[in-house]
């Protein structure tokens, strides 16, 4: 993106934030607006920040109906700009004895524990799990752009219901949750509908255990080769006690390939958060993913991993400063990189 376009995008975002604030104040109780701006950098390139602009608007339509709109923009280190439409959906929440909710449109991915933590103000560390964005190596010489789990929001319809100690969901999306979905810029990349199901239990207060499943086509038929399916399965858990919260997920993806054997990728994300004082907190994250290469001169399994230790300080209710240490290794490269990192996050909500 050119510098002119970048300045225009920042200007539009600022105007949108201001307009949203005024509009929200005029329509108190009917409109909720949440704006988040994040800037992060590392010791490797301290003058080349990663910027994110996130705006979520929820309009209460009445009768249990809401409309949610979430444009998103980012500047990568190096100057590359990008935009996405993370949410553009209609939501219906029932008032029945057993409540249920219907989400339709561009919706949050129904699978993946960290999906809702991709907002910078909800993420206790500086980085998010890399496997939401880093593609897996090609399994059989064909690059599909799949990840272990998707950080993009698909088109779909999902129904969610819950009781006092349980929750369940099911629906259909237009692409596998193992592929980042950018509906705004890649409307034609869908490879077929996916059946989604999941749920969880809360046996005691503060503890939730859950699982999710998706099945559908990830590679379209081409050149006499048949269409191929992917199965995504995850287990997740969260436990909060006192001022400590521990959460994690384990993911297994099974991809059909043009070879005899399927490609089975797997990985995990483990996160811990400790509130030290009303302003100070500490967090840590450990992530690992591995995937096979079944064809080519060097078949075998490739692994990648990352770890982060972070200390955070809430300067104001809207402004949070984080600093930490990060280390990582990439698929096919055993060497570890080490760096210091810092981020500044501003978040504001209006009703």
């Amino acid at each position: 993106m050119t510098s002119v376009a970048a300045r225009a995008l920042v200007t539009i975002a600022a105007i949108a934030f201001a307009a949203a604030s005024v509009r929200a104040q005029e329509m108190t109780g009917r409109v909720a607006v949440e704006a988040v701006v994040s800037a992060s950098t590392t010791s490797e390139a301290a003058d080349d920040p990663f910027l994110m602009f996130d705006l979520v608007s929820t309009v209460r339509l009445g009768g249990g109906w809401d409309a949610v709109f979430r444009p998103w923009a980012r500047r990568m280190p190096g100057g590359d700009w990008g935009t996405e439409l993370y949410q553009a959906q209609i939501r219906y929440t029932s008032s029945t004895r057993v409540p249920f909710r219907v989400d339709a449109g561009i919706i949050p991915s129904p699978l993946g524990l960290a999906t809702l933590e991709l907002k910078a103000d909800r993420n206790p560390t500086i980085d998010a799990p890399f496997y939401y964005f880093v593609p897996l190596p090609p399994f059989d010489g064909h690059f599909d752009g799949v990840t272990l789990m998707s950080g993009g929001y698909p088109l779909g319809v999902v129904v969610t219901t819950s009781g006092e100690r349980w929750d369940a969901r099911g629906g259909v999306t237009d692409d596998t949750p193992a592929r980042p979905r950018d509906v705004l810029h890649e409307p034609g990349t869908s490879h077929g509908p996916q059946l989604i199901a999941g749920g969880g239990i809360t046996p005691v207060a503060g503890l939730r255990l859950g699982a999710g499943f998706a099945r559908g086509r990830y590679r379209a038929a081409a050149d006499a080769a048949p269409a191929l399916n992917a199965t995504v399965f995850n287990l997740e858990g969260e436990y909060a006690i006192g001022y400590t919260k521990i959460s994690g997920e384990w993911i297994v993806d099974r991809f059909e390939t043009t070879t005899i054997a399927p490609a089975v990728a797997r990985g995990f994300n483990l996160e811990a958060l400790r509130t030290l004082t009303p302003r100070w907190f500490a967090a840590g994250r450990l992530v690992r993913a591995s995937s096979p290469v079944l064809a080519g001169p060097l078949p075998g399994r490739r692994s990648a991993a990352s770890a982060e230790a972070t200390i955070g300080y809430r300067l104001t209710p809207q402004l949070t400063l984080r600093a930490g240490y990060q280390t990582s290794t990439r698929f096919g490269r055993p060497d570890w990189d080490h760096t210091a990192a810092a981020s500044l996050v501003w978040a504001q909500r209006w009703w």
Side-chain angles (χ1 to χ4, degrees), residues 275-333:
T275 300
L276 305 175
T277 72
R279 289 181 179 267
W280 288 95
F281 63 90
R285 186 188 300 278
L286 178 63
V287 184
R288 188 179 188 277
S290 67
S291 180
V293 174
L294 304 175
L298 295 173
R301 199 158 192 93
R302 308 288 191 269
S303 298
S306 69
E308 179 177 333
T310 302
I311 189 77
Y313 181 72
R314 297 179 178 88
L315 299 167
T316 70
Q318 296 79 29
L319 202 60
T320 302
L321 176 66
R322 296 176 176 87
Y325 161 76
Q326 299 174 342
T327 181
S328 64
T329 183
R330 289 174 279 181
F331 290 112
R333 181 185 171 188

Side-chain angles (χ1 to χ4, degrees), residues 44-314:
E44 294 180 343
D47 60 346
D48 193 11
F50 175 45
L51 306 177
M52 286 194 298
F53 303 86
D54 204 337
L55 181 68
V56 183
S57 301
T58 303
V59 181
R60 188 162 300 163
L61 304 175
W65 292 89
D66 297 293
V68 184
F69 183 70
R70 183 186 173 190
W72 181 89
R74 59 103 176 103
R75 177 200 180 272
M76 295 290 291
D80 176 40
W81 282 83
T83 59
E84 289 189 35
L85 187 57
Y86 261 175
Q87 283 178 268
Q89 68 170 87
I90 294 294
R91 174 183 297 158
Y92 174 73
T93 305
S94 76
S95 56
T96 55
R97 188 173 67 88
V98 179
F100 67 90
R101 193 181 77 193
V102 180
D103 295 279
I106 305 175
I107 60 175
S109 178
L111 267 64
L113 181 66
T115 301
L116 296 179
E117 284 190 359
L118 295 180
K119 290 177 80 277
D121 61 322
R122 297 185 184 179
N123 181 7
T125 57
I126 298 170
D127 270 354
F130 67 83
Y131 58 62
Y132 279 83
F133 308 100
V134 177
L136 298 175
F139 313 123
D140 52 8
H142 189 288
F143 181 73
D144 297 283
V146 292
T147 58
L148 191 67
M149 185 66 77
S150 170
Y153 287 21
L155 280 168
V157 178
V158 172
V159 180
T160 305
T161 185
S162 63
E164 185 176 348
R165 294 187 178 272
W166 60 272
D167 58 88
R169 62 190 181 278
V172 177
T173 61
D174 72 334
D175 205 352
T176 174
R179 189 195 325 274
R181 186 74 169 96
D182 187 352
V183 178
L184 187 65
H185 297 108
E186 301 174 354
T189 58
S190 173
H191 290 287
Q194 311 286 312
L195 175 64
I196 307 285
I201 58 171
T202 306
V204 296
L207 174 64
R208 179 186 179 274
L209 303 173
F213 168 86
R215 170 76 174 176
R217 193 167 69 245
Y218 84 97
R219 185 188 296 179
D223 299 328
L228 301 176
N229 293 325
T231 302
V232 178
F233 176 75
N234 83 311
L235 294 174
E236 59 191 43
E238 295 179 280
Y239 182 58
I241 180 171
Y243 300 102
T244 301
K245 177 183 176 183
I246 300 173
S247 60
E249 68 178 341
W250 178 67
I251 303 168
V252 177
D253 298 346
R254 184 183 186 275
F255 300 93
E256 297 176 349
T257 69
T258 54
T259 67
I260 297 176
V264 179
R266 53 184 175 265
F268 69 85
N269 166 42
L270 182 62
E271 173 192 303
L273 171 64
R274 172 72 177 181
T275 300
L276 305 175
T277 72
R279 289 181 179 267
W280 288 95
F281 63 90
R285 186 188 300 278
L286 178 63
V287 184
R288 188 179 188 277
S290 67
S291 180
V293 174
L294 304 175
L298 295 173
R301 199 158 192 93
R302 308 288 191 269
S303 298
S306 69
E308 179 177 333
T310 302
I311 189 77
Y313 181 72
R314 297 179 178 88

Side-chain angles (χ1 to χ4, degrees), residues 11-29:
T11 301
I12 291 171
I15 294 173
F17 294 163
S21 174
V22 174
R23 185 61 174 165
Q25 294 176 26
E26 292 175 351
M27 301 182 64
T28 300

